[in-house]
Amino acid sequence: VTLIDRGDPGAGTSLGNAGVISVSGITPVGYPGIWKDVPKMLLDPDSPLRLRWSYLPQVMPWLLRFLANSTAERCDQIAAEMAPFAAQAYDAHDALIKRHGIEGIVKRVGWLKVYPQEKIAGTKFDVALSRKYGMKIDELNADELRQLEPNLHRRYVHGVFSPDSGFVSTPLKLSQAYAAAIRHGGGQFQKATIRNIAIGADGAPSITTDAGTQRYDRAIISAGAFSKPLAAMVGAKVPLDTERGYHCYLKLASGSGVGRSTYFADHGFVVA
């Protein structure tokens, strides 16, 4: 296997993501009634949602499809199709970690979402959908939250906890360890920008990069936000748009943080 990437392994999103291996993350981002919440979020300076207004005409066709796929019926269908994949997420990582001796980076300490009183109602749809498709979800009251995470502010009185999910303490290190395992198994990396993908008469792809053109048996496009232009090279029109995330590192006194990835629902960020 040859992996072609314009960056180094793990240097993109995995450099600073929340580090969650979620076995319960099957609820779509577009939930029923989101159309009522989006205008408020765009006008709220403390909201996690931002949109460059100059980009609105370009993104409008995608937004309309997004809203059309945010009905209760469509969310249920998406969750049903996601559940078999999500349920295997931790075990799949665990098997790779044990096979390649990558110990100490991943811990099964669960994935926590915390809510102040005024946000509790918003958990009902998420919890019900997850439980419908066999996901283990615990709802925690204020005292149970404090037992799990003593440093949480008292304003957080409700928690949704996925105990079977994992926490990756350093996503970059895990990506680099997987890359080393691929190399050890005979795979190779090519750091290059893809300029064109052409499919031959026999179905085999030829990929052109800065280094030239190489023919392969098959190709998988797995480039996250950048998959859309790559798919377009082979005639696939993918209705894909992007969100941009940010991260910062906080220097905390020993014992003053949280023991797992924790999502703060009132402001839409994760502390890990």
Side-chain angles (χ1 to χ4, degrees):
V1 174
T2 298
L3 179 65
I4 304 170
D5 198 319
R6 68 181 188 182
D8 294 318
T13 301
S14 291
L15 184 64
N17 68 29
V20 182
I21 300 176
S22 176
V23 298
S24 61
I26 63 171
T27 305
V29 175
Y31 52 84
I34 193 172
W35 62 273
K36 293 182 290 187
D37 294 337
V38 165
K40 289 185 289 186
M41 287 192 282
L42 287 173
L43 295 172
D44 181 358
D46 290 330
S47 164
L49 181 63
R50 293 285 185 277
L51 177 67
R52 281 203 308 270
W53 295 108
S54 60
Y55 189 63
L56 188 59
Q58 185 176 337
V59 79
M60 185 58 75
W62 182 91
L63 277 173
L64 292 174
R65 289 187 67 157
F66 174 77
L67 292 172
N69 281 277
S70 300
T71 63
E73 295 79 9
R74 186 73 180 107
C75 286
D76 190 280
Q77 182 185 356
I78 292 169
E81 294 173 357
M82 286 285 291
F85 293 100
Q88 300 178 64
Y90 186 89
D91 291 340
H93 275 286
D94 193 48
L96 284 172
I97 287 164
K98 287 175 179 173
R99 186 188 311 163
H100 299 291
I102 308 167
E103 309 296 341
I105 300 174
V106 178
K107 298 176 181 177
R108 198 164 207 167
V109 292
W111 158 228
L112 179 65
K113 300 177 184 179
V114 297
Y115 301 81
Q117 186 67 45
E118 65 270 20
K119 292 284 184 178
I120 294 177
T123 68
K124 295 187 184 303
F125 179 78
D126 191 4
V127 169
L129 201 57
S130 296
R131 286 177 173 166
K132 179 178 179 179
Y133 291 105
M135 306 298 161
K136 186 177 181 183
I137 297 291
D138 298 328
E139 292 189 87
L140 309 179
N141 61 32
D143 290 337
E144 292 166 330
L145 264 185
R146 234 56 60 186
Q147 291 172 31
L148 191 66
E149 292 291 355
N151 295 318
L152 282 174
H153 194 280
R154 300 298 300 182
R155 70 180 262 97
Y156 297 102
V157 296
H158 183 74
V160 175
F161 184 50
S162 169
D164 293 333
S165 293
F167 170 49
V168 183
S169 60
T170 316
L172 175 61
K173 283 187 178 178
L174 184 63
S175 297
Q176 291 172 337
Y178 281 156
I182 291 171
R183 289 192 181 100
H184 184 72
Q188 57 183 319
F189 285 83
Q190 184 181 351
K191 189 175 179 179
T193 299
I194 294 174
R195 301 301 181 187
N196 189 51
I197 306 172
I199 307 298
D202 58 353
S206 294
I207 299 178
T208 301
T209 69
D210 306 327
T213 301
Q214 176 70 45
R215 191 172 184 273
Y216 297 92
D217 298 319
R218 67 188 64 182
I220 296 173
I221 295 173
S222 180
F226 303 101
S227 295
K228 184 176 181 177
L230 294 174
M233 293 177 184
V234 294
K237 192 175 182 181
V238 181
L240 176 70
D241 218 286
T242 60
E243 63 178 354
R244 185 180 180 92
Y246 300 88
H247 74 279
C248 63
Y249 292 100
L250 305 176
K251 192 170 185 177
L252 301 176
S254 178
S256 63
V258 290
R260 55 195 42 81
S261 298
T262 302
Y263 170 74
F264 292 79
D266 47 347
H267 293 295
F269 65 84
V270 177
V271 172

